[in-house]
Amino acid sequence: MAKECKWILKEPADPGKVTRLATEVGIDRVLAELLVKRGVETFEEARSFFRPDLANLHDPFLMKDMDRAVERVRAAIVSGEKILVYGDYDVDGTTAVALVYSFLKRFTSNIDFYVPDRNDEGYGVSLKGVDWAHQNGFTLIITLDCGIKAIEKTQYASERGIDMIICDHHLPDDELPAAVAVLDPKREDCSYPFDDLSGCGVGFKLVQAYSQRYNVPFESLIPLLDYLVVSIASDLVSVVGENRILAHFGLKQLNDSPRAGLFAMITLSKLEQGHVTIDDIVFKIGPRINAAGRMETGRLAVELLTSDDLDSAMEIGEKINENNNERKSIDREITQEALEMVQNGQCLSWQNATIVYNPNWNKGVVGIVASRLVEAFYKPTIVLTKSNGFVTGSARSIQGLDLYEAIENCSDLLENFGGHVYAAGLTLKEEYLAEFSERVNRFIGEKVTEEMMTPVIELDAKLDFSSITPKFFRILKQFQPFGPGNNNPLFLTENVYDDGNGRKVGAGGVHMKLDLIQESQPYHRISAIAFNMSDFYEYIKAGNPFDVCYSIVENYYRGTSTIQLRVKDMRERDELI
């Protein structure tokens, strides 16, 4: 069971600004407050927020090295060189490869793509990949969602007559690879106005720049945006600024006219075409695409994403769906084993960080298992297994703790590592495992506080059920697409109870379907779904009042759309915030 959360009501926005905006825009004060907290304070800013515009995308040539990248791609196309589009095996990497490959294929037939094998080659640019490119006559490699730390691999490629253009979004080291061009908005010397693009986003900026320079109509790039929204949602980059514009139009493309491969994923995920949301990508489409690289090969995902034929897309999609079902089964099994290791004191570390190791675990699911352990114990977590003679694994952190920094502090023990503040991967020799665990535990112990070890739910506003009108929800929907930096608001309603028809649902009855009534407003009944909260069922069934925090979502089922509360947490009335 997940650790109990602390509820915190966010500080209210400036009342004067809220009143002014509510009057100017003609909206509910609660909605006006949500906008002000997002930095939207005037009518013009509200119009810009509610009406994203592709004309507001940044000039791609503001990105360092973009000129050089575009000219090198042009030279390769004109002279008929063989171009290899190379990307990571996760959703961001495979969508990036599919996007750039699909675009360049319009101008040259001398092109192929390469996705490294997770088990054999690991993350990023591999010597095996460079050798394959050399043996097959490629003279230009475009890396996507990887390569920013591939200093030796770039040199290795250069010695074999292969130029590299690196498109990445991860944090660079002080030294950059000696590539023809290094596109990464996180470069210290890069003045690009938005630095939180996904790897696929950086790839899109490259094709946007090429189109701009060589008079390719921008309209012809719009069909590529369904790739981009899948990467933005799955890689959990912020959905603000340029990403919000790209995600908005990407969702429109995905719903109105998805490519064959993504249509297959929508169908196999049992989603309603035309009603796909960011959440659907995060929880349904993304994991399926990821499963190809976890269980078989990421190349399969790119083949799906670049398929022009619906029949073949469905055939590949069904195979990927089987991979996902297998992944879920293995994930459940390993999670259970890991939970038991922790509970039985068989882990490498427990005090400040959870570190577990089993050489027989499937490498493809250790990141998912790490996330599950964070949910269960709310501690920074590293899950390790063995692959190709090395200990390798994934790390996941908690809010406010830079786990990447803790891993980097042990770089002298590691063969390889990379990632972000809250998610990272690493490889080391087994003989260093005990020292690594001890040092990570000690480092985190010096940084973490008791307060950080308690999960927090930040609530945007208190809300009465009577406020949740069709107009309120219609405007709230225009806050989409939701994601980091623009999360679906969480509301608090106090003193509610179920109308007596509440029931357990889902496999094993782990979820609850409720119809909630607020004590002070008995005529406003509203439907709610509470995932993984059936432990609360007996209390609710007895007619006891409780407080509930939730987001408001659209439940679309068989052509009918209804407003539904998605419960985040609930607690008995005698518990205070």
Side-chain angles (χ1 to χ4, degrees):
M1 187 190 296
K3 194 170 180 179
E4 188 172 321
C5 299
K6 180 180 180 182
W7 296 8
I8 295 178
L9 198 57
K10 290 180 183 175
E11 287 294 317
D14 182 314
K17 291 179 179 178
V18 171
T19 301
R20 188 163 58 248
L21 186 64
T23 304
E24 283 183 13
V25 183
I27 57 174
D28 183 287
R29 275 190 65 87
V30 172
L31 293 169
E33 173 141 356
L34 294 174
L35 286 172
V36 172
K37 286 177 177 176
R38 283 161 169 73
V40 176
E41 297 181 4
T42 66
F43 180 85
E44 284 302 316
E45 287 171 347
R47 183 163 63 181
S48 176
F49 180 80
F50 286 130
R51 302 280 182 271
D53 190 342
L54 288 166
N56 292 330
L57 294 178
H58 301 302
D59 179 355
F61 287 100
L62 294 173
M63 196 175 292
K64 182 80 172 175
D65 279 3
M66 187 60 83
D67 260 313
R68 297 167 68 182
V70 167
E71 292 315 310
R72 183 63 186 88
V73 170
R74 180 66 173 180
I77 290 171
V78 169
S79 62
E81 290 179 66
K82 292 186 77 174
I83 303 171
L84 187 65
V85 183
Y86 186 116
D88 189 24
Y89 39 70
D90 68 2
V91 181
D92 192 17
T94 52
T95 52
V97 168
L99 185 150
V100 174
Y101 174 79
S102 298
F103 175 80
L104 293 179
K105 203 168 63 164
R106 301 178 194 175
F107 310 102
T108 178
S109 58
N110 293 321
I111 187 165
D112 201 351
F113 59 85
Y114 188 97
V115 179
D117 180 83
R118 178 188 288 265
N119 296 309
D120 185 35
E121 296 166 81
Y123 169 80
V125 182
S126 70
L127 294 176
K128 182 179 176 180
V130 174
D131 284 340
W132 188 90
H134 178 56
Q135 289 156 13
N136 288 278
F138 291 91
T139 50
L140 176 62
I141 296 176
I142 301 172
T143 77
L144 292 149
D145 191 34
C146 62
I148 197 63
K149 295 188 177 184
I151 293 166
E152 294 82 7
K153 313 288 173 47
T154 302
Q155 180 63 33
Y156 185 80
S158 179
E159 289 164 0
R160 282 148 186 78
I162 301 171
D163 284 343
M164 301 258 282
I165 293 172
I166 290 169
C167 304
D168 206 345
H169 70 131
H170 295 97
L171 202 61
D173 288 334
D174 292 337
E175 182 185 355
L176 295 175
V180 169
V182 178
L183 306 180
D184 188 332
K186 290 189 176 74
R187 281 179 64 165
E188 275 195 19
D189 59 349
C190 180
S191 57
Y192 191 74
F194 185 74
D195 70 355
D196 202 27
L197 292 167
S198 64
C200 187
V202 178
F204 178 78
K205 299 311 290 189
L206 173 61
V207 305
Q208 183 192 359
Y210 186 93
S211 301
Q212 211 167 291
R213 176 69 52 86
Y214 293 105
N215 301 314
V216 179
F218 181 82
E219 290 70 30
S220 73
L221 303 185
I222 291 175
L224 300 171
L225 295 180
D226 56 1
Y227 288 134
L228 202 41
V229 70
V230 171
S231 87
I232 288 169
S234 301
D235 217 52
L236 299 178
V237 291
S238 60
V239 188
V240 299
E242 193 163 40
N243 278 345
R244 187 164 188 272
I245 298 170
L246 293 168
H248 173 87
F249 288 96
L251 266 183
K252 189 175 188 311
Q253 183 68 28
L254 187 65
N255 279 298
D256 294 350
S257 184
R259 62 196 60 254
L262 288 173
F263 180 81
M265 286 291 93
I266 290 166
T267 304
L268 290 163
S269 302
K270 296 182 171 57
L271 296 171
E272 292 271 2
Q273 177 63 47
H275 295 269
V276 179
T277 65
I278 290 285
D279 271 1
D280 291 329
I281 298 171
V282 172
F283 296 111
K284 301 280 184 71
I285 296 173
R288 282 172 167 78
I289 295 172
N290 249 338
R294 291 183 190 280
M295 308 309 299
E296 194 166 338
T297 168
R299 187 175 178 90
L300 198 61
V302 180
E303 287 171 359
L304 170 82
L305 293 166
T306 55
S307 175
D308 295 324
D309 173 64
L310 186 56
D311 287 340
S312 62
M314 285 300 293
E315 190 178 328
I316 299 168
E318 283 167 0
K319 196 171 186 181
I320 286 175
N321 211 37
E322 287 171 17
N323 286 336
N324 190 51
N325 290 334
E326 184 187 355
R327 186 273 305 166
K328 286 194 284 190
S329 173
I330 292 171
D331 157 23
R332 281 193 296 269
E333 186 181 318
I334 293 177
T335 297
Q336 190 55 43
E337 289 177 12
L339 286 168
E340 287 171 6
M341 285 177 76
V342 175
Q343 287 155 357
N344 297 335
Q346 296 171 322
C347 44
L348 295 168
S349 167
W350 166 247
Q351 188 181 0
N352 302 311
T354 304
I355 305 179
V356 290
Y357 170 56
N358 183 323
N360 301 314
W361 284 339
N362 184 300
K363 182 183 175 184
V365 301
V366 291
I368 299 170
V369 174
S371 297
R372 302 259 194 270
L373 295 186
V374 171
E375 285 174 19
F377 305 113
Y378 206 69
K379 290 183 181 181
T381 299
I382 303 175
V383 178
L384 300 163
T385 185
K386 201 164 189 178
S387 178
N388 296 326
F390 289 97
V391 172
T392 185
S394 290
R396 298 291 184 269
S397 196
I398 58 174
Q399 192 66 33
L401 185 91
D402 187 342
L403 187 53
Y404 182 84
E405 184 186 19
I407 292 168
E408 189 176 39
N409 183 60
C410 302
S411 59
D412 56 307
L413 303 175
L414 303 177
E415 297 294 308
N416 198 8
F417 69 98
H420 307 282
V421 171
Y422 295 119
L426 62 139
T427 303
L428 72 159
K429 291 177 180 174
E430 194 164 18
E431 64 215 59
Y432 296 135
L433 193 51
E435 185 181 351
F436 169 77
S437 301
E438 192 275 325
R439 276 171 55 177
V440 166
N441 188 59
R442 187 170 68 242
F443 185 90
I444 290 172
E446 292 168 359
K447 302 281 184 179
V448 79
T449 63
E450 186 60 38
E451 192 176 6
M452 287 164 65
M453 291 289 215
T454 302
V456 169
I457 295 176
E458 290 193 325
L459 304 168
D460 291 272
K462 288 187 178 182
L463 194 65
D464 287 331
F465 284 167
S466 59
S467 298
I468 307 174
T469 63
K471 180 185 177 184
F472 180 95
F473 185 57
R474 189 171 64 250
I475 297 167
L476 183 64
K477 277 205 298 184
Q478 292 177 52
F479 281 59
Q480 297 181 38
F482 294 125
N486 183 43
N487 285 316
N488 196 348
L490 284 175
F491 299 105
L492 165 66
T493 302
E494 297 172 312
N495 207 14
V496 307
Y497 58 92
D498 181 65
D499 72 352
N501 292 313
R503 62 193 186 278
K504 293 182 182 181
V505 295
V510 295
H511 315 310
M512 288 190 295
K513 182 84 169 59
L514 307 169
D515 285 303
L516 299 182
I517 298 170
Q518 192 173 359
E519 182 79 42
S520 60
Q521 301 170 2
Y523 303 109
H524 292 278
R525 181 182 280 100
I526 191 158
S527 171
I529 184 76
F531 293 113
N532 300 306
M533 293 188 198
S534 59
D535 289 348
F536 217 75
Y537 178 70
E538 295 302 327
Y539 178 86
I540 291 174
K541 188 181 177 185
N544 293 310
F546 55 96
D547 297 339
V548 62
C549 64
Y550 55 88
S551 55
I552 307 172
V553 299
E554 182 175 28
N555 183 35
Y556 191 86
Y557 185 67
R558 293 184 177 174
T560 303
S561 175
T562 56
I563 296 173
Q564 186 180 65
L565 308 186
R566 183 174 293 161
V567 177
K568 176 77 173 177
D569 200 9
M570 51 179 66
R571 58 184 45 180
E572 300 174 14
R573 271 299 290 160
D574 59 356
E575 297 181 44
L576 300 176
I577 295 177

